[in-house]
Amino acid sequence: MKFFLAPMQGLTGYTVRNAFHHHFDYIDKYYTPFIPAAKRMNAKIKRDIDPVNNDGITLIPQAMSIVADEVIDLHRQLVPYGYDELNVNLGCPSGTVVSKKRGSGILAYPDMLDSFLDELYTKADFPVSIKTRVGFNDDELWPKLIEIYSKYPISELTVHPRVQKDFYKNTPRMDDFALAMQKINPDKTTLCYNGDITDTNSFNALTDCFPDIDEIMIGRGLFANPALIAELKGISMDKAELRERLKNWHDEILSGYLSIFSGEKDAIFRMKEIWAYMHGLFSDSEKLWKKIKKCQTLNDYKSIVRMAFDAF
C-alpha cells in the first residue's frame, strides 16, 4: 500500500512536508498546494517547489487550470527544477475557484471537461494525473464523468467521493468510488482513494470493500494524527516515542514558519491551522484548543504548547 499526503492550501508547503519527512517518514508521495497555471510562478511558489527545499521527498506539482495550454506552459516552467509530471486539480470545492469553473467547478460541465482533457492529453508529452470529486451539486453526472476520464491516458486518478456542495461534510459516496473501480482500466490508469481515512477502522473498512486498492491519499487525517500512517502500517511506538516525535515535528514546523514569515503573528496563525486538527490527540483537548485559539504572542503560544506536551 502506498500513502500520499493530500495537497491542502496553506498547510502542505515545504516546511510541513520536511517535518513529515524527518519525523514521520511513512509518506510515499507529496503534492504541492495548487499552482495557478494562468500566472507565472512567483517567488513563493518557486521557493516551495525548489528541490533544495524538498530533499529526499517525491513531490508532484499540482496545477489549477481548465486550459490545456496553461498546464503545458506550467510544465515548461517546472522542467528546469527537475519535474516531469503534473497533477491537475479538478476537485477543489472553494467558491472562488469554482466560480471560474475551475477545480470541481468544471464537473458541472462534462462537455467542457471532455474538451479540456482531449486537448491536454493530445498536447502533453509528460505524465498528467488528475484529482477529482464525483460531481458538483450531486453525483448524477458521475457515470458520465467517469466515462470521460476512462477515455484518456491519465497516469493516476485520485477520487474524493464527495461533490463540491459537500465540501468536507457528509459521508463519502462509496458507491461512486466503486463505479470508478469498475470503469477505470488499471493497466492504463492507477486509481487512488482520498477521503476520511482517520484511523485503522476507516482504513480497514475501505480495504475490506476494495481489497485491490493500492494507493490512498490522506490530508486532514494526517494533521489530526501525524503518526496515522505508521499505525496503518502496523508500526508501533510507545507514548514516550510518539510524544517526542510529535514535539520535534511541531517544533520544526514552528521554526520554519518563524523563518519564512515576517512576523510571529503570521507563524502563530499557521500553527493554529494545524492545531485545529491536532488538538484531539491531547488531554483536555477542547480546553487546550480554546487556549491556543486565544493566544496572541509567541511566548504565550510556546508556554501553552509546552504544558500540552508535558501533559501528553
Side-chain angles (χ1 to χ4, degrees):
M1 183 71 71
K2 296 177 182 177
F3 294 95
F4 308 148
L5 178 63
M8 298 174 68
Q9 210 66 14
L11 271 179
T12 56
Y14 72 89
T15 297
V16 168
R17 294 194 295 264
N18 278 298
F20 271 111
H21 180 55
H22 294 152
H23 306 293
F24 295 100
D25 190 20
Y26 309 107
I27 298 170
D28 297 287
K29 189 160 59 177
Y30 299 76
Y31 293 78
T32 69
F34 69 72
I35 302 170
K39 303 176 182 178
R40 307 300 293 179
M41 291 194 301
N42 59 29
K44 178 181 177 182
I45 293 171
K46 290 178 180 178
R47 184 170 62 243
D48 189 58
I49 57 97
D50 192 329
V52 172
N53 293 327
N54 295 277
D55 187 37
I57 288 172
T58 299
L59 180 65
I60 308 298
Q62 185 184 77
M64 176 64 75
S65 180
I66 54 169
V67 178
D69 285 340
E70 291 178 355
V71 178
I72 301 297
D73 183 61
L74 177 60
H75 176 257
R76 290 195 192 102
Q77 296 179 61
L78 289 163
V79 166
Y81 293 88
Y83 296 101
D84 60 1
E85 179 181 346
L86 265 182
N87 179 265
V88 176
N89 184 321
L90 301 180
C92 179
S94 168
T96 56
V97 169
V98 302
S99 65
K100 300 173 183 176
K101 299 179 181 176
R102 299 183 179 186
S104 59
I106 197 174
L107 302 180
Y109 307 92
D111 291 341
M112 183 184 294
L113 172 66
D114 197 6
S115 296
F116 166 57
L117 295 179
D118 182 58
E119 184 178 0
L120 176 60
Y121 284 98
T122 298
K123 293 181 175 181
D125 59 356
F126 54 91
V128 181
S129 58
I130 300 288
K131 186 172 189 291
T132 187
R133 290 191 172 221
V134 297
F136 192 71
N137 288 320
D138 54 49
D139 60 354
E140 183 178 344
L141 289 173
W142 180 237
K144 186 170 185 177
L145 296 173
I146 203 66
E147 288 293 343
I148 292 171
Y149 287 137
S150 68
K151 292 165 55 177
Y152 298 102
I154 299 171
S155 60
E156 177 185 83
L157 181 65
T158 300
V159 177
H160 183 154
R162 284 186 169 95
V163 299
Q164 184 276 339
K165 191 175 181 180
D166 290 332
F167 277 78
Y168 297 97
K169 298 178 181 178
N170 302 324
T171 303
R173 302 162 190 247
M174 302 312 289
D175 287 346
D176 290 333
F177 188 75
L179 183 63
M181 290 287 290
Q182 295 169 17
K183 296 293 185 179
I184 294 299
N185 181 353
D187 294 330
K188 183 172 69 173
T189 298
T190 303
L191 193 62
C192 176
Y193 176 84
N194 173 228
D196 285 18
I197 299 300
T198 57
D199 53 25
T200 54
N201 288 336
S202 54
F203 173 76
N204 290 335
L206 176 71
T207 53
D208 286 347
C209 287
F210 305 106
D212 292 334
I213 196 70
D214 190 45
E215 296 185 351
I216 296 177
M217 178 182 284
I218 306 175
R220 294 170 296 155
L222 274 171
F223 285 92
N225 177 11
L228 175 60
I229 295 176
E231 293 179 9
L232 302 184
K233 286 177 174 282
I235 299 170
S236 61
M237 58 184 80
D238 61 26
K239 197 165 186 178
E241 180 184 359
L242 176 59
R243 174 192 175 280
E244 187 67 15
R245 288 202 195 191
L246 278 173
K247 186 176 184 304
N248 290 338
W249 180 82
H250 167 277
D251 291 352
E252 180 171 337
I253 295 172
L254 177 60
S255 177
Y257 282 166
L258 289 170
S259 68
I260 291 171
F261 299 119
S262 57
E264 60 184 45
K265 282 190 175 182
D266 291 330
I268 294 170
F269 174 79
R270 288 297 182 91
M271 295 307 300
K272 288 179 181 180
E273 290 184 309
I274 292 173
W275 279 102
Y277 299 103
M278 191 174 68
H279 69 271
L281 285 175
F282 292 77
S283 57
D284 292 326
S285 60
E286 291 306 317
K287 184 177 180 181
L288 169 63
W289 177 222
K290 287 179 182 179
K291 288 181 178 179
I292 289 175
K293 282 193 291 186
K294 289 180 180 179
C295 75
Q296 297 295 320
T297 69
L298 184 60
N299 284 339
D300 284 347
Y301 173 81
K302 286 183 174 180
S303 176
I304 293 167
V305 169
R306 183 170 58 251
M307 288 188 289
F309 277 107
D310 286 346
F312 183 81

